Amino acid sequence: MIFTCNTNNLNKAIQTVQRAIVSRPSTPIFSGIHIKTVNGNIVLHAMDLNMAISCTIEGNIVEDGEIVVSAKHLSELVRKLPSENVTISKNVTNSTIKVLAGNSEYQLLLMNEEDYPQFPTFNADKTITISDEKIKELIKKTIFACSNDESRPLFTGILVEIQDNKITFVGTNTHRLSIKTMEQLTNEPMSMIVPAKVLNEIYKNLNGDVPVDVQISLLNNQFMVVIDNIVIVSRLIEGKFPDYRRVIPPQFAVKTTVNIKELAGAVERVALFSTEGDYSIIKMSVGAKEMTITSSSPDVGTGREVISCHTEGEDLNVAFNSTYILDILKNLETEEATFSMNTSLSPVCVQAEGEADYTYIVTPVRVVF
């Protein structure tokens, strides 16, 4: 194998695919990047048991072939190369590659390419195409609500539902729930739980200046995403996602509307006086025209702010994990938001004015006021 390509393009491709490599690979061969020439292009693969990423770049192919090389060492080297172009050639005799860039020359040991599995092939049962802006919006508005607890894998992913010409993303950690729906013209109904890690990778690769279509394909318990020259294949999370519709109360006794920036600023400042740890609790006392936000800690002190609001219904005291409130406020793009409530312990619905297709449900915390 001998090829020459743009150093920056190679670096970007390596950075893209190596995100499929976990810190402790299930087998040593998965610590490597598989590079081969296909139809006059250079194709890079990286994978582990749950995800595989492929990236194709252009180059000048002198001699076809394939190699597997340590992702860590190749990544560090290529990232620091001074030259605009790089030439990589394989030496079969001593199982190395020579890396030439300007006046620099390096040799890297190779891994056995015969031990590297084939990149997953995909004869999809169902396929849809969605714009990059739409899927970015769906991911951004739901992924933060997922759980990071690997002992509950069902909640470390996003439920993706496609039916009735709509696509819905749902994320939850059982304490909060984020639902975003958008129009999607398709005759291919789908329902799957996609790992949040994979959706993060999709989001990271949707940062180009030119709009692109994203192709999503489903086959049994796997799905594939194609974004221009990048292919991501992943296992789906198996299990039955809870019926999120049942969590949304059918009606509310109290509704209060607040300015999003005012509330976010107040919560951020008051939360500084809460007990440190996973649960930074803030208390809200909702009145007809004012909302009082408080928090206290014996080690820090007490914080209290009052902001204006417009409330329909009786006064109500309610407490939240401050992070859960800040997360949703950062994702609302209008000036005002409405908190709909029933009691101090029943689920609370947060929505932006005029954005009925985005719903956030958060469970209050039991505290003494």
Side-chain angles (χ1 to χ4, degrees), residues 32-93:
I33 289 179
H34 182 212
I35 305 175
K36 66 178 181 178
T37 55
V38 179
N39 298 325
N41 289 317
I42 303 157
V43 182
L44 292 82
H45 298 148
M47 67 177 74
D48 203 275
L49 296 178
N50 295 314
M51 181 168 63
I53 303 178
S54 166
C55 185
T56 301
I57 60 173
E58 296 178 345
N60 178 26
I61 313 298
V62 178
E63 183 180 313
D64 285 323
E66 63 178 316
I67 56 172
V68 178
V69 62
S70 164
K72 177 183 177 182
H73 295 103
L74 181 65
S75 171
E76 288 296 318
L77 175 59
V78 173
R79 186 166 59 89
K80 297 174 181 177
L81 288 177
S83 177
E84 183 178 343
N85 294 307
V86 57
T87 297
I88 293 179
S89 57
K90 178 181 179 181
N91 187 328
V92 179
T93 306

Side-chain angles (χ1 to χ4, degrees), residues 251-257 286-287 310-314 338-341:
Q251 56 190 16
F252 297 96
V254 180
K255 292 185 178 181
T256 187
T257 301
V286 180
H310 176 73
T311 303
E312 299 174 10
E314 300 294 323
T338 297
F339 284 63
S340 302
M341 303 166 278

Side-chain angles (χ1 to χ4, degrees), residues 63-350:
E63 183 180 313
D64 285 323
E66 63 178 316
I67 56 172
V68 178
V69 62
S70 164
K72 177 183 177 182
H73 295 103
L74 181 65
S75 171
E76 288 296 318
L77 175 59
V78 173
R79 186 166 59 89
K80 297 174 181 177
L81 288 177
S83 177
E84 183 178 343
N85 294 307
V86 57
T87 297
I88 293 179
S89 57
K90 178 181 179 181
N91 187 328
V92 179
T93 306
N94 61 2
S95 295
T96 62
I97 55 168
K98 182 190 294 182
V99 180
L100 296 174
N103 295 322
S104 305
E105 178 180 326
Y106 309 89
Q107 283 195 346
L108 286 174
L109 292 174
L110 291 176
M111 306 168 80
N112 188 352
E113 65 264 20
E114 294 181 1
D115 293 339
Y116 204 88
Q118 289 292 316
F119 194 83
T121 55
F122 221 83
N123 188 13
D125 291 333
K126 299 178 180 180
T127 299
I128 67 160
T129 301
I130 183 171
S131 72
D132 55 346
E133 286 302 317
K134 188 178 290 186
I135 196 168
K136 281 175 70 175
E137 179 86 349
L138 289 161
I139 293 171
K140 179 177 180 287
K141 298 261 174 131
T142 55
I143 198 167
F144 66 88
C146 290
S147 172
N148 295 318
D149 185 357
E150 295 295 338
S151 66
R152 300 188 303 165
L154 197 64
F155 303 111
T156 62
I158 294 286
L159 173 67
V160 178
E161 285 188 334
I162 303 169
Q163 59 184 5
D164 301 327
N165 290 324
K166 292 184 182 297
I167 181 168
T168 300
F169 276 38
V170 184
T172 183
N173 66 356
T174 71
H175 299 295
R176 58 177 173 176
L177 172 72
S178 189
I179 309 163
K180 176 65 177 176
T181 299
M182 302 181 81
E183 290 186 359
Q184 177 65 33
L185 298 177
T186 178
N187 295 319
E188 294 277 13
M190 296 185 189
S191 181
M192 52 189 166
I193 306 173
V194 182
K197 177 184 176 183
V198 178
L199 289 172
N200 260 323
E201 292 308 318
I202 295 171
Y203 192 90
K204 289 175 184 175
N205 286 293
L206 295 174
N207 53 9
D209 297 328
V210 180
V212 296
D213 285 335
V214 179
Q215 187 183 80
I216 300 175
S217 301
L218 183 63
L219 176 65
N220 300 325
N221 70 332
Q222 288 188 315
F223 88 118
M224 178 177 72
V225 177
V226 180
I227 309 166
D228 197 15
N229 63 329
I230 298 167
V231 179
I232 302 173
V233 179
S234 168
R235 291 178 185 269
L236 296 170
I237 297 175
E238 298 186 27
K240 184 173 175 58
F241 203 85
D243 185 358
Y244 61 91
R245 297 174 183 87
R246 295 179 59 186
V247 178
I248 306 172
Q251 56 190 16
F252 297 96
V254 180
K255 292 185 178 181
T256 187
T257 301
V258 295
N259 180 280
I260 291 173
K261 286 186 178 179
E262 283 186 14
L263 179 58
V267 170
E268 276 190 313
R269 291 184 291 270
V270 170
L272 297 173
F273 294 85
S274 179
T275 303
E276 294 183 3
D278 293 336
Y279 290 93
S280 173
I281 307 302
I282 50 121
K283 300 175 182 178
M284 291 183 182
S285 295
V286 180
K289 295 184 178 180
E290 288 185 343
M291 177 187 292
T292 303
I293 302 124
T294 60
S295 187
S296 63
S297 165
D299 299 325
V300 183
T302 301
R304 179 180 182 273
E305 288 204 29
V306 179
I307 64 171
S308 59
C309 66
H310 176 73
T311 303
E312 299 174 10
E314 300 294 323
D315 294 358
L316 185 66
N317 294 327
V318 62
F320 299 102
N321 180 334
S322 64
T323 301
Y324 291 177
I325 299 301
L326 289 172
D327 281 346
I328 181 59
L329 295 178
K330 291 173 184 175
N331 279 285
L332 298 179
E333 296 167 8
T334 57
E335 188 173 325
E336 294 183 325
T338 297
F339 284 63
S340 302
M341 303 166 278
N342 285 311
T343 70
S344 60
L345 292 177
S346 61
V348 174
C349 176
V350 184

